[in-house]
Structures are given as C-alpha cells and as structure tokens.
Amino acid sequence: MSATGVHVDTDLCEGHALCIQLAPEVFDLSDDDVASAARTGGQWDQDTWENVKSAVDACPRQAISLLPTSTKGQ
C-alpha cells in the first residue's frame, strides 16, 4: 500500500509517546498528552517513512494509521 500521510485517532491515543520516540520529525504531543502527526502530505524520505511505519506498529492503542494514496481519476 502506498501512503500519503498519517492520521492519529485522538480518541484512542493515550499519550504513550512511542511514536515521538520513533519519528520525532513527524509526531508531536499536545499539552493534553495526545499525539498528532505533521500535515506535510507525507513528503518524507524513505528513512522517515520506515520510522513512521515502526510507530504505527508500536502504538499500543493502534491509534495511528497511514492514509492511502488517492486513486481518484486513475
């Protein structure tokens, strides 16, 4: 699957911050201890994408998901 971005479900996130440890250039933690992802459209290098995928796998609440590439018009 190709991905264009990352989504954090704020209802599921419990602020464990594993995502921030794995991909600090992508994730941030709010004052309420809820993670969020940078809104750059997924324009990261391969190493960063690998870190993001590791963060998705490591999230204990499975609150992080990859947004699929749009196939609209293809």
Side-chain angles (χ1 to χ4, degrees), residues 5-73:
V6 180
H7 171 74
V8 177
D9 185 329
T10 57
D11 292 330
L12 290 176
C13 179
E14 293 180 340
H16 295 278
L18 296 174
C19 55
I20 296 164
Q21 292 175 18
L22 292 165
E25 64 278 23
V26 175
F27 298 97
D28 194 19
L29 200 62
S30 73
D31 293 338
D32 296 331
D33 290 331
V34 174
S36 62
R39 302 198 185 284
T40 63
Q43 300 302 314
W44 300 299
D45 62 29
Q46 186 63 34
D47 287 339
T48 301
W49 268 115
E50 293 302 318
N51 293 341
V52 168
K53 290 175 189 175
S54 294
V56 170
D57 292 339
C59 182
R61 296 286 293 145
Q62 299 178 351
I64 307 169
S65 57
L66 299 177
L67 301 175
T69 301
S70 173
T71 57
K72 186 176 181 177

